[in-house]
Amino acid sequence: MSESTLTAKDFATDQDVRWCPGCGDYSILKQVQSVVAELGRKREDIIFISGIGCSSRFPYYMNTYGMHSIHGRATAIASGLKATRPELDVWIITGDGDSLSIGGNHLIHLLRRNFNVNILLFNNEIYGLTKGQYSPTSQQGKVTKSSPFGVLDHAFNPSAVALGADCSFYARTMDRDPRHLKEVLKRGNEHAGASLIEIYQNCNVFNDGAFFTFTDKETKGGSTLFVEQGQPMTFGENKEFGIKLDGFKPVVVKMNEGHSLNDLWIHDEQDYMKATLLSRMFDVPSEGSMPRPFGVFFSNDRGTYEKALEAQVVEATEALGIGNLDKLISGNHTWEIV
Amino acid sequence: MKTTPQETKEITILFAGDSGDGMQLTGNQFANTNAFFGNDLATFPNFPAEIRAPIGTVAGVSGFQMKFGSTEIYTPGDQCNVLVAMNAAGLKSSLHNVEPQGTIIINTSGFDKKNLNLAKYNSNPLEDGTLANFRVQLIDISKLTQETLKDSDLGRKETERSKNMFVLGYLYWMFNRNMEGTERFLKLKFGRKPDILDANLKVLKAGYHYGDTTETFTSRYEVKKASLPKGTYRSIMGNQATAIGLIAAAQKAGLQLFYGSYPITPASDILHELAKHKNFGVKTFQAEDEIAAVTACIGAAFGGALATTGSSGPGIAIKGEALGLAVMLEIPLVVVNVQRGGPSTGLPTKTEQSDLMQALFGRNGEAQTVVVAPKTPKDAFETAFEACRLAIEHMVPVMMLSDGYIANGSEPWAFPNSKDLKPIVPQIARAKDYETEPYLPYKRDDNLVRKWAVPGTPGLEHRLGGLEKQDITGDVSYDPDNHQHMVKTRAAKIDRIALSIPLQTIDQGAEKGKLLILAWGSPYGAIKTAVKRLLEQGYDVSHAHLRYLNPFPRNLGDVVKNFDMVLIPEINDGQLDILIRNKFLIPTIRLCKIKGMPFTANEIIEKVKEIYE
Ligand code: SF4
């Protein structure tokens, strides 16, 4: 099939989609199918790899190569695949439990190595598949099946984890904002390196409304900040607020009160220090709190593991010559018995 | 005055000193020189788990034992004819292993008060009659080394470090070997450090001349060349043979070799060896943990590479879940387990065969893999190659059970020519074969093997996973009958491998008789030596050695039933024994040794004699 004729539908499979009705996963699946169609990649060159969890059923619904693996290991599986097949387009589908709890180690190592893959982290702040236990991103105090008196654990901040592991691309988006979601997916796919895309995903069965503050009409204006490259940071229903940097401290200012756009923090995706400031804007939304940033926090090309590995193979071959099996078997010191 | 050398067929020699005394290097050099001369030999390094174990103590002794001779050699020897003790602890840890009237070469400077205390000697064994029944040669090696290098600019610490060369030179004199090989080796090793090179060469020669000029009454030995089969030989260690076997298989199969591994004793040398050979397109990946090492392999295998991983028991334990996934996916995967003493951290530098049950059953669910085991260091090449062949041609994970004794042991190897290695044919699905029919991931051939469709192949897109599969289509299925069918099919696929692997043969002895010694893995050499001697003494005994542990060779039942009794020696508490009893419903006799040490031939001989009493 020629690539130009592929549409989102061509990426759907004959399998029944088995998420709960109303689950945020549906929206993400739809956007991913449409993005891969628009990218014009061939179906056979795309691989979706997932771990375990609700989101991890994703590969069954993508008409590409795919693997639904074991809990927490999709990142490590993808690393091996990418190391040996650098030309493939590898997508990792994972959740907050899969990637930040049982698979936390593989996630940070993939990020620091910087394999060129896309990691879609479906964060619903709950364990859905096992029916409602708290996850590493659940907020402290949250009452769940396994925390009837409230969660004691301090919640993970995925953006801070990512930047702490020297992730070369981090973005945050939401299932309920398909336009933004699609844009971010495209950006992530364009990035040559590990792209961690955290997607706030509503689990309407076990954690309904966890992110509604960021999507509901009344609240979203004051609680969300959409960052864009080269643009001043403004938010509010009518962009009536701005964010200024007071040294290393972001402060909210009211526009029209002696502040102009020129005073505001201009978003620079290449600036690691400022990206870490964005990652720290992680208050539980409340009156007067900092808004939660969405969009591409950080994007930086720093060379991928698989390219470096290929280069080493080439270098070794130039230095030592193409491997000769008989020479390898005989080694350098032999003797004859006659 | 020259002494007349005493002609000897075999010599077992043990080097014992501090970890810092260079015993491994000295032993290896001595081994290489003898191999080059034309002796057959086997070596056994035995070192402490700590990198810098407490100096001067028995726990810190680094040993290197080897046997060489003009006959065929299968083990590093039982009792030593010659012991080199660099210090009191070296003597203390090894003296019980020296034959009566054996030769003991002693570095007297390692027997001062401090050394005696550290070795927990109450009186000096050099003076109190402890060594009365041995032929003792006292040499102040440190002093002679310092003397030799008195004009050198090197500091005392550095000159002291070359004292092992004095020993080596002395042994070359004692066994009438030439020093050229070691001289060449030193030039390569210290080429960029001329001071150190010069010192080592001088001390080596000084050791040789010391023997020549001073010890007029010392015995010298003459060990003639062995009449080994004609051919070109090299010296090979087990881990090295494993690594080369993996590369050879990848080359024969036309696949990229991927080795994902996390450092662990005693398997790390496989990683080190493979990392050197990137010019064969080998990709080594030092993963963040054992789980990542094996799951990266699963990704690489899905992508069409020959994916291999290596570890030891503790690492294999945490790879278990992923191995179950590989069983479910039915992809080629080779897992090398260089076994060590367990459980838990156990005895990292000591050998054991206690992971057989883990290899067969150490996963959740009914998750069979193929299991093979090498019997000697050089056999690790063929076994690794065979492990890859089975994995690739049968689309199945294969576990290779090596062990610390094989991994670090060395022996001469009449290596094969690459063109004589078996071909390996990957079961790759090509796009052109599916123009008229769809690719069904779990459709099987007569051997129950499915086709390997790798990403990048148009039209063959499919999804695999750890959930139970519908047969043929590979769709997720919770159907009860299908699950039973799939469990049985995965097992039957492994059973069918028995149809194509070689029949079990008898290594030595008659095909039928009173007593069969049945074993697997590294006890091979000790049993071979024992059975040879027992046959010479007229005992009715035979030896069969298994390479294939799952599936067993298809005639194994007939083989064991041809004997009245079956003795199973293992470096574990009786694991093969359980399998054989269970499978063939025969009584067996166990011989278990669980000391972190290999069997000696004598232990096998004694057991057989006891059975016959
Ligand atoms: S449990 Fe929650 S996350 Fe899982 S499918 Fe249902 S709604 Fe979606």
Side-chain angles (χ1 to χ4, degrees):
Chain A
M1 193 177 292
S2 127
E3 46 200 86
S4 56
T5 62
L6 291 182
T7 66
K9 272 208 189 100
D10 294 312
F11 283 94
T13 63
D14 58 356
Q15 303 288 304
D16 296 332
V17 182
R18 296 207 186 177
W19 291 310
C20 306
C23 175
D25 291 356
Y26 285 94
S27 149
I28 304 172
L29 176 63
K30 193 167 164 221
Q31 294 315 316
V32 172
Q33 284 172 341
S34 111
V35 164
V36 290
E38 280 175 37
L39 290 171
R41 297 284 317 238
K42 293 186 196 140
R43 265 207 309 238
E44 64 265 25
D45 293 337
I46 302 173
I47 295 97
F48 280 82
I49 301 178
S50 64
I52 294 292
C54 289
S55 60
S56 289
R57 293 211 149 227
F58 202 97
Y60 292 123
Y61 312 137
M62 291 297 301
N63 192 358
T64 62
Y65 283 89
M67 191 195 297
H68 175 209
S69 73
I70 45 177
H71 208 7
R73 320 299 170 207
T75 30
I77 291 172
S79 300
L81 176 60
K82 198 68 188 171
T84 47
R85 299 290 306 275
E87 76 283 10
L88 297 173
D89 192 4
V90 178
W91 298 67
I92 295 162
I93 306 294
T94 183
D96 38 321
D98 195 60
S99 67
L100 291 169
S101 206
I102 194 165
N105 198 27
H106 310 310
L107 176 72
I108 57 176
H109 288 277
L110 182 151
L111 295 179
R112 82 179 163 91
R113 290 189 183 112
N114 200 32
F115 282 100
N116 183 12
V117 295
N118 305 313
I119 309 159
L120 311 192
L121 197 177
F122 293 30
N123 182 4
N124 55 15
E125 298 188 353
I126 199 80
Y127 283 124
L129 191 68
T130 49
K131 300 194 165 59
Q133 301 80 7
Y134 63 91
S135 90
T137 54
S138 297
Q139 282 169 22
Q140 222 167 20
K142 187 171 181 66
V143 171
T144 72
K145 266 195 196 148
S146 55
S147 58
F149 301 107
V151 169
L152 296 172
D153 304 33
H154 182 78
F156 245 141
N157 174 344
S159 59
V161 173
L163 291 167
D166 269 345
C167 180
S168 67
F169 180 100
Y170 170 85
R172 181 186 289 143
T173 181
M174 307 179 251
D175 56 356
R176 283 156 66 101
D177 190 341
R179 197 191 49 80
H180 188 258
L181 172 59
K182 191 169 169 185
E183 214 37 56
V184 166
L185 288 173
K186 277 191 181 162
R187 283 289 317 276
N189 192 253
E190 276 162 23
H191 173 70
S195 309
L196 180 62
I197 301 170
E198 183 188 4
I199 307 170
Y200 284 170
Q201 173 245 323
N202 191 39
C203 169
N204 57 312
V205 174
F206 296 107
N207 200 15
D208 196 23
F211 307 107
F212 283 0
T213 330
F214 308 121
T215 52
D216 277 2
K217 246 199 148 143
E218 310 81 71
T219 50
K220 81 173 183 197
S223 63
T224 59
L225 166 71
F226 287 91
V227 297
E228 267 180 72
Q229 177 65 356
Q231 297 300 313
M233 295 195 182
T234 56
F235 66 105
E237 217 171 331
N238 304 304
K239 301 272 177 213
E240 67 273 28
F241 300 107
I243 297 186
K244 246 179 80 169
L245 274 182
D246 179 9
F248 280 119
K249 197 174 156 42
V251 284
V252 175
V253 295
K254 266 202 170 140
M255 307 306 290
N256 311 324
E257 285 186 358
H259 300 284
S260 80
L261 287 176
N262 295 334
D263 303 333
L264 298 183
W265 171 0
I266 308 292
H267 182 47
D268 180 2
E269 292 170 354
Q270 247 103 84
D271 190 326
Y272 177 81
M273 294 309 286
K274 286 187 181 156
T276 61
L277 294 182
L278 279 176
S279 79
R280 287 293 150 198
M281 291 167 63
F282 197 61
D283 301 341
V284 178
S286 64
E287 195 51 37
S289 67
M290 278 292 193
R292 188 74 58 97
F294 291 85
V296 179
F297 286 29
F298 185 63
S299 174
N300 168 36
D301 285 332
R302 64 167 165 92
T304 64
Y305 185 97
E306 65 270 24
K307 282 219 168 117
L309 180 55
E310 292 262 281
Q312 220 172 46
V313 168
V314 171
E315 256 170 56
T317 309
E318 276 166 9
L320 306 168
I322 291 180
N324 175 315
L325 184 54
D326 281 304
K327 271 198 187 146
L328 175 71
I329 294 174
S330 73
N332 294 329
H333 297 288
T334 61
W335 65 92
E336 301 285 336
I337 303 277
V338 284
Chain B
M1 192 164 106
K2 293 284 170 204
T3 48
T4 337
Q6 171 191 339
E7 197 183 323
T8 315
K9 278 192 178 144
E10 299 173 350
I11 287 283
T12 297
I13 179 168
L14 171 60
F15 300 83
D18 246 339
S19 324
D21 283 340
M23 293 294 92
Q24 304 302 325
L25 187 145
T26 312
N28 272 314
Q29 277 305 306
F30 191 61
N32 287 347
T33 296
N34 285 309
F36 202 79
F37 173 79
N39 294 128
D40 195 9
L41 59 87
T43 73
F44 175 49
N46 190 6
F47 34 78
E50 293 80 17
I51 301 301
R52 289 278 172 264
I55 291 176
T57 65
V58 171
V61 171
S62 169
F64 185 97
Q65 183 168 325
M66 66 174 281
K67 182 168 162 184
F68 65 104
S70 58
T71 56
E72 284 184 62
I73 303 290
Y74 307 108
T75 78
D78 296 3
Q79 277 206 314
C80 300
N81 313 108
V82 180
L83 167 68
V84 178
M86 294 302 280
N87 63 7
L91 181 70
K92 185 146 196 189
S93 68
S94 315
L95 186 58
H96 66 277
N97 222 2
V98 184
E99 64 169 6
Q101 297 306 316
T103 299
I104 302 180
I105 300 167
I106 290 212
N107 172 25
T108 53
S109 52
F111 284 75
D112 60 12
K113 234 183 145 159
K114 193 174 152 205
N115 274 296
L116 291 170
N117 278 337
L118 283 167
K120 302 211 159 66
Y121 268 122
N122 296 323
S123 65
N124 189 341
L126 308 187
E127 292 158 3
D128 65 5
T130 305
L131 305 179
N133 291 325
F134 302 97
R135 290 184 284 183
V136 181
Q137 300 175 31
L138 301 175
I139 311 176
D140 191 339
I141 293 172
S142 297
K143 195 172 131 207
L144 289 164
T145 302
Q146 296 304 337
E147 276 294 307
T148 310
L149 299 177
K150 62 178 187 291
D151 297 333
S152 159
D153 295 335
L154 294 172
R156 187 175 163 108
K157 228 178 160 180
E158 273 157 324
T159 50
E160 178 73 10
R161 226 178 263 154
S162 53
K163 68 175 187 286
N164 58 335
M165 286 300 122
F166 193 93
V167 176
L168 193 57
Y170 184 70
L171 290 172
Y172 286 157
W173 168 79
M174 203 166 142
F175 290 94
N176 195 19
R177 296 286 181 263
N178 85 45
M179 296 183 282
E180 272 169 28
T182 296
E183 285 170 346
R184 231 183 302 128
F185 165 82
L186 290 171
K187 281 174 192 156
L188 267 176
K189 187 171 162 81
F190 297 119
R192 288 207 205 106
K193 297 173 187 154
D195 289 7
I196 296 183
L197 172 64
D198 191 51
N200 276 286
L201 290 172
K202 268 194 185 140
V203 176
L204 180 72
K205 281 193 193 120
Y208 193 96
H209 293 143
Y210 178 81
D212 215 8
T213 53
T214 61
E215 295 283 324
T216 49
F217 50 85
T218 315
S219 51
R220 286 181 87 185
Y221 295 94
E222 186 181 350
V223 185
K224 292 199 168 128
K225 285 181 194 193
S227 54
L228 293 170
K230 276 184 193 168
T232 312
Y233 283 73
R234 67 168 287 180
S235 166
I236 190 93
M237 290 173 75
N239 272 344
Q240 200 183 16
T242 302
I244 297 173
L246 298 178
I247 297 177
Q251 297 264 312
K252 276 282 173 180
L255 299 176
Q256 183 179 180
L257 180 64
F258 180 80
Y259 186 77
S261 187
Y262 186 75
I264 186 169
T265 303
S268 303
D269 280 339
I270 301 174
L271 173 62
H272 305 161
E273 181 67 29
L274 287 170
K276 286 193 249 171
H277 301 299
K278 291 227 159 84
N279 60 326
F280 286 82
V282 175
K283 287 183 176 168
T284 53
F285 179 64
Q286 184 175 316
E288 58 271 22
D289 60 29
E290 295 279 358
I291 299 173
V294 65
T295 46
C297 282
I298 289 174
F302 185 66
L306 169 55
T308 58
T309 181
S311 187
S312 189
I316 302 293
I318 43 179
K319 289 183 196 292
E321 187 198 11
L323 295 178
L325 176 64
V327 167
M328 208 66 162
L329 300 180
E330 302 189 35
I331 48 169
L333 175 67
V334 173
V335 183
V336 180
N337 178 354
V338 186
Q339 300 166 95
R340 66 190 215 188
S344 186
T345 312
L347 303 168
T349 59
K350 308 290 173 194
T351 198
E352 206 162 277
Q353 295 185 282
S354 47
D355 296 343
L356 177 58
M357 289 302 191
Q358 183 196 42
L360 282 158
F361 306 113
R363 291 164 293 281
N364 62 306
E366 302 287 353
Q368 280 203 50
T369 62
V370 174
V371 182
V372 292
K375 59 186 179 187
T376 64
K378 68 185 177 199
D379 188 49
F381 172 83
E382 244 184 70
T383 307
F385 186 88
E386 179 69 350
C388 296
R389 188 186 69 83
L390 293 173
I392 293 168
E393 294 191 345
H394 293 267
M395 295 289 284
V396 71
V398 178
M399 186 92 77
M400 165 165 152
L401 293 177
S402 176
D403 64 32
Y405 180 51
I406 288 175
N408 292 313
S410 71
E411 61 182 336
W413 178 35
F415 53 85
N417 195 305
S418 68
K419 70 173 184 337
D420 299 329
L421 298 172
K422 278 189 196 167
I424 300 179
V425 187
Q427 304 296 302
I428 306 263
R430 316 267 170 206
K432 63 172 169 33
D433 300 332
Y434 296 90
E435 278 159 3
T436 53
E437 54 167 326
Y439 169 71
L440 297 167
Y442 285 79
K443 201 172 159 186
R444 301 162 189 283
D445 67 11
D446 293 344
N447 287 325
L448 302 176
V449 176
R450 69 179 202 88
K451 287 277 179 224
W452 194 7
V454 302
T457 317
L460 273 51
E461 296 82 7
H462 65 285
R463 275 68 54 194
L464 299 179
L467 287 171
E468 183 59 284
K469 303 277 162 298
Q470 178 71 49
D471 197 14
I472 302 174
T473 65
D475 289 344
V476 173
S477 165
Y478 300 116
D479 178 68
D481 291 337
N482 177 71
H483 177 52
Q484 175 148 346
H485 170 72
M486 287 300 274
V487 167
K488 294 282 188 191
T489 304
R490 286 186 286 263
K493 179 169 106 164
I494 288 182
D495 289 344
R496 282 200 197 185
I497 291 175
L499 300 177
S500 64
I501 58 175
L503 292 174
Q504 183 61 45
T505 55
I506 298 286
D507 190 84
Q508 270 189 107
E511 301 282 326
K512 251 185 172 100
K514 272 214 165 87
L515 178 66
L516 173 71
I517 303 182
L518 179 66
W520 64 284
S522 64
Y524 177 78
I527 299 170
K528 176 108 182 166
T529 309
V531 170
K532 204 172 155 199
R533 281 192 218 146
L534 287 162
L535 289 170
E536 282 162 9
Q537 294 168 28
Y539 281 89
D540 180 352
V541 58
S542 301
H543 173 203
H545 212 79
L546 292 165
R547 169 183 281 170
Y548 301 92
L549 294 151
N550 194 40
F552 283 138
R554 60 192 183 280
N555 64 331
L556 186 60
D558 301 336
V559 170
V560 296
K561 283 170 187 163
N562 276 336
F563 293 86
D564 299 341
M565 294 177 288
V566 178
L567 168 67
I568 304 183
E570 291 178 88
I571 306 293
N572 63 36
D573 208 14
Q575 300 190 10
L576 176 65
D577 185 73
I578 293 173
L579 297 175
I580 294 292
R581 280 169 180 250
N582 174 56
K583 177 114 187 175
F584 302 114
L585 301 174
I586 54 163
T588 52
I589 307 163
R590 284 183 186 186
L591 175 59
C592 301
K593 180 173 181 182
I594 323 160
K595 300 180 175 185
M597 296 290 283
F599 280 114
T600 63
N602 272 334
E603 286 165 337
I604 309 285
I605 291 171
E606 273 165 31
K607 183 69 188 179
V608 170
K609 290 189 174 168
E610 182 196 308
I611 291 170
Y612 271 104
E613 258 164 27

